[in-house]
Amino acid sequence: MVSSPHEAQHRIFQENPSLFTSAFRALGVPFPEPVAVSLMDTDLTEMRPVERHVDTLLRIDVVGGGCYLLAIEAQGRKDPEKRSSWAYYLAHLFAKFRYPPVLLVVCRDKATAEWAAEPIRIGLEKHPSLAVFPLVLGPHNVPVVTDAARAAEDIPMAVFSAITHGNDQDIAAILEALAVALRATDADAAAIFAEFTEAGLGDTPAREIWRNLMSTSLSHFRGIVAESFRDEGREEGREEGIAKERSLSVLRMLDRRGVDVSAAARERIGSCRELSTLDLWVDRAFTVKTTDELFDRG
């Protein structure tokens, strides 16, 4: 489903949009009670060849009839170019939709989080024409969830805690609490959360801790992670396992979103072993309304 920490950091909000309410509570930011959350097109391009894409964009309808746009950016390192991009995103979103935009930046290390939180002021030093104040989630303010009962109360936040604190000394306890919580939840949902966790941990020692947990205490999952672990070590089997992982991820996402999948389409997805095609379908599965859109070659 996801293949990198960058994807996991923002796409978990696509899979579980309600996570933003927990995130805002962690930031101490008051936010109107949401009544609906919709995934929106992330392409903010106006003129080519300049292309600008926000990582994840959500429309949040709130009590009272208003709505906000939540632009979520996963930032792995300091990047001066991003600051002007973020200002552009917010200005463009407001001009296009006329809804108040909010920028949320998620980071995996404290130094990047502190950099991302710095206000962006455009214009005269003493009289800026535009000012941006990003909301930032990182190891410095995301809760450390080491209690299994607490993790079970808000599994998306527990997963996000594990991803964000992947390099912390408490990561083993965080992962163990999450593993216990996932054992008590639906197997399909648990497999998806497990995938996000593994991808989000990236190339860190914590990933091996999680893999060990997955191969022992979580071995009852009938999810795709267990399949890929069994095939690991044999190149041909590993590639087959990865392809199966991707195809099952596509089908599960379409099913969870209520997209009608015919028997023929299900067979086409399940039998596909072209990784580049499957990766494209995984990305599209988050937003398409029909399988025709999924298979579109355009």
Side-chain angles (χ1 to χ4, degrees):
M1 175 181 293
V2 289
S3 59
S4 71
H6 179 272
E7 285 183 279
Q9 280 182 285
H10 69 89
R11 281 174 57 173
I12 190 173
F13 286 86
Q14 298 178 12
E15 172 68 17
N16 301 273
S18 61
L19 174 59
F20 86 90
T21 58
S22 300
F24 277 24
R25 282 198 299 270
L27 292 173
V29 176
F31 198 87
E33 184 67 23
V35 295
V37 180
S38 307
L39 187 65
M40 301 185 69
D41 188 357
T42 60
D43 189 346
L44 305 184
T45 303
E46 282 191 298
M47 297 174 57
R48 297 192 183 275
V50 178
E51 294 187 1
R52 298 181 188 272
H53 294 262
V54 65
D55 286 337
T56 286
L57 181 61
L58 303 176
R59 168 178 162 162
I60 304 167
D61 297 310
V62 298
V63 171
C67 80
Y68 292 81
L69 298 178
L70 181 61
I72 303 170
E73 284 280 284
Q75 194 65 30
R77 58 182 176 82
K78 298 179 183 179
D79 181 1
E81 296 298 322
K82 272 294 184 179
R83 298 176 66 77
S84 60
S85 294
W86 292 341
Y88 170 88
Y89 294 164
L90 297 178
H92 176 75
L93 288 170
F94 183 71
K96 182 175 182 179
F97 297 104
R98 298 298 178 180
Y99 299 138
V102 178
L103 173 63
L104 176 63
V105 184
V106 292
C107 306
R108 299 179 68 219
D109 67 272
K110 185 177 180 181
T112 301
E114 290 176 343
W115 165 81
E118 296 174 1
I120 304 168
R121 294 183 172 87
I122 300 172
L124 299 176
E125 181 178 353
K126 294 185 178 180
H127 188 85
S129 300
L130 177 66
V132 176
F133 299 89
L135 297 173
V136 179
L137 289 169
H140 64 299
N141 58 7
V142 170
V144 175
V145 182
T146 57
D147 178 73
R150 184 181 177 192
E153 292 175 357
D154 192 346
I155 289 180
M157 175 52 76
V159 172
F160 193 65
S161 175
I163 293 173
T164 307
H165 294 282
N167 292 312
D168 288 12
Q169 61 181 7
D170 295 326
I171 187 58
I174 295 172
L175 294 178
E176 288 170 5
L178 177 58
V180 172
L182 290 184
R183 286 183 62 87
T185 194
D186 173 78
D188 285 339
I192 291 175
F193 287 126
E195 290 176 63
F196 272 111
T197 303
E198 194 210 348
L201 292 172
D203 188 18
T204 66
R207 189 175 190 177
E208 290 306 311
I209 297 175
W210 185 243
R211 281 174 172 247
N212 289 335
L213 287 170
M214 289 298 297
S215 63
T216 55
S217 63
L218 299 182
S219 60
H220 67 292
F221 285 172
R222 56 187 178 86
I224 58 182
V225 177
E227 289 288 340
S228 64
F229 289 156
R230 284 196 292 271
D231 287 335
E232 193 168 357
R234 295 175 301 168
E235 186 62 27
E236 183 177 351
R238 189 182 70 84
E239 291 182 0
E240 177 74 14
I242 292 173
K244 185 175 182 179
E245 168 190 335
R246 297 292 190 270
S247 63
L248 290 177
S249 293
V250 173
L251 290 170
R252 184 160 52 246
M253 180 56 63
L254 294 174
D255 289 340
R256 287 174 65 85
R257 293 185 56 241
V259 177
D260 182 51
V261 182
S262 67
R266 194 172 296 274
E267 172 62 23
R268 178 177 177 180
I269 295 169
S271 62
C272 181
R273 292 298 178 263
E274 184 68 37
L275 293 182
S276 60
T277 299
L278 288 168
D279 285 341
L280 175 63
W281 290 350
V282 167
D283 290 337
R284 289 180 175 177
F286 283 91
T287 58
V288 297
K289 297 180 180 179
T290 67
T291 52
D292 285 342
E293 292 180 31
L294 182 78
F295 299 141
D296 185 10
R297 295 182 179 273

